[in-house]
Amino acid sequence: LRPPTVIGQFHTRFFGSVCIFFLGVLGFAVYGNEALHFSCDPDKREVNLLCYNQFRPITPQVFWVLQLATVLVPGIFFHIYAACKSIKQEDILQKLFYTVFYIFSVFLRIILEAVAFWLQIQLFGFNVNTIYMCVVGALEKKLNISQCMVPQHFEKTIFLIAMYTFTVIKVVLCAAEMFEISCRWLGFLKTQ
């Protein structure tokens, strides 16, 4: 069962192919072994591990995979419901209950994307600096700050901006899909 709107079908293809390819291939190239190349002064294994865990409480790849999986959930529920009820694609925008359920799933996707966008800003910011100042007091039993070098900081900044851009595009596509459904209901567009 395809999404009932043209924009929804484009969103599914964009979401499913471009983002997953970008995250899987390029994300691994940029973030692959980040922890191994993260080095602090003094260069001790325990200092590097402590500081890396402060720098990255969750790795961007794991966060974005969780974001992708979470945003897929509303659509999966709708498609499971449609499959269990044997709903035909052309009936989705014809019957009020199905339309409302579908709009609710799209609206929920927008909310989940917005929450993920906010969390991404809180966790990663917009810029990855060359130097990360780490508090290593937990190891030394006194307040001590260590400087750590962040590998490939410029590439990571570009990747962050790209992921923010993808999130904004997906939210705009969801909003456009809701607009398309409204136009169909109001009779401005023909139903497929």
Side-chain angles (χ1 to χ4, degrees), residues 95-106:
K95 298 190 177 168
L96 183 61
F97 179 75
Y98 301 153
T99 304
V100 169
F101 189 10
Y102 186 76
I103 288 174
F104 178 73
S105 74
V106 174

Side-chain angles (χ1 to χ4, degrees), residues 8 15 34-35 38 54 62 72 76 79 107 113 120 126 143 146 148 153 155 157 161-162 173 185:
F15 181 76
E34 182 181 45
F38 191 84
Q54 283 180 24
V62 170
L72 283 174
I76 289 170
H79 288 290
F107 184 70
E113 288 282 8
Q120 186 176 353
F126 289 98
L143 184 61
S146 177
C148 303
H153 66 281
E155 290 176 11
T157 299
I161 292 168
L173 286 173
W185 265 93

Side-chain angles (χ1 to χ4, degrees), residues 80-88 91 98:
I80 288 172
Y81 176 79
C84 290
K85 295 288 186 180
S86 300
I87 299 171
K88 296 178 184 169
D91 290 342
Y98 301 153

